[in-house]
């Protein structure tokens, strides 16, 4: 059961990651978020899998890996607390374009939002949609260096 304190904490984490959301939008989206934990080294997203969730990192650190067409693995980025990931496959309705893994430094905790709720959230917030689209473009440009 989620306590009032837990609800407030989730709302604060959502506001940190997506500051363009209004308080009303945060209150609407936060109950739909699911808190998930991953152990050090565990894969959260596998490149090539179906995109089904959006993630906000609330504890730990994750690394982003890309496997090129020639099967070479590249570590292309890290995500820190307050960062989000998983948006590209959801927006493009495409398989995951990279693998996200908890670093060996320690366990990771995320807030996960399913595809439909994510698309509704950005559909209800033009500013959030624009910010996520800009971040998606930056990430795709970064990945294009490895193709």
């Amino acid at each position: 059961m989620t306590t009032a304190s837990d609800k407030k904490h989730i709302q604060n984490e959502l506001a940190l990651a997506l500051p363009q959301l209004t308080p009303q939008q945060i209150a609407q989206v936060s109950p739909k978020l699911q808190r998930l934990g991953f152990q050090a080294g565990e894969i959260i997203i596998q490149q090539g899998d179906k995109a089904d969730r959006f993630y906000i990192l609330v504890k730990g650190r994750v690394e982003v890996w890309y496997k090129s067409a020639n099967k070479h693995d590249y570590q292309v980025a890290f995500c820190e607390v307050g960062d989000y990931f998983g948006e590209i496959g959801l927006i493009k309705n495409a398989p995951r374009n990279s693998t996200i893994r908890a670093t060996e430094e320690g366990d990771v905790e995320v807030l996960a939002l399913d595809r439909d709720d994510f698309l509704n959230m950005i559909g209800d917030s033009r500013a959030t949609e624009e910010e996520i689209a800009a971040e998606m473009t930056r990430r795709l440009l970064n990945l294009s260096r490895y193709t």
Side-chain angles (χ1 to χ4, degrees):
M1 182 171 182
T2 305
T3 67
S5 175
D6 291 337
K7 286 181 185 179
K8 188 65 174 167
H9 195 65
I10 288 171
Q11 289 177 347
N12 289 340
E13 291 165 330
L14 180 58
L16 174 68
L18 300 170
Q20 303 81 7
L21 291 174
T22 66
Q24 295 81 11
Q25 291 163 331
I26 289 170
Q28 189 175 27
V29 172
S30 61
K32 299 173 184 175
L33 291 162
Q34 181 182 12
R35 194 175 293 275
L36 303 173
F38 297 90
Q39 295 179 349
E42 188 174 354
I43 291 176
I44 301 167
I45 290 176
Q46 180 68 52
Q47 184 174 338
D49 284 355
K50 179 182 178 189
D52 60 349
R53 291 182 175 169
F54 171 76
Y55 299 89
I56 298 170
L57 186 60
V58 297
K59 176 187 170 201
R61 190 170 189 230
V62 299
E63 47 196 26
V64 182
W65 289 85
Y66 174 74
K67 185 181 290 280
S68 66
N70 68 3
K71 306 294 184 204
H72 190 277
D73 288 318
Y74 296 96
Q75 186 175 0
V76 298
F78 285 96
C79 293
E80 309 285 344
V81 169
D83 291 340
Y84 57 82
F85 54 92
E87 77 286 353
I88 297 171
L90 298 174
I91 291 171
K92 295 180 74 172
N93 196 25
R96 300 294 192 183
N97 64 1
S98 58
T99 296
I100 310 291
R101 182 174 68 206
T103 65
E104 296 295 336
E105 299 164 2
D107 294 346
V108 164
E109 191 172 292
V110 298
L111 296 176
L113 187 63
D114 75 27
R115 182 180 193 280
D116 291 339
D117 290 329
F118 169 76
L119 294 174
N120 288 335
M121 177 187 70
I122 64 173
D124 291 343
S125 174
R126 180 92 175 141
T128 300
E129 181 180 25
E130 289 173 356
E131 175 55 34
I132 288 174
E135 182 62 25
M136 181 179 80
T137 300
R138 284 189 289 274
R139 291 175 178 181
L140 289 170
L141 284 172
N142 183 46
L143 278 183
S144 71
R145 299 179 349 190
Y146 302 95
T147 58

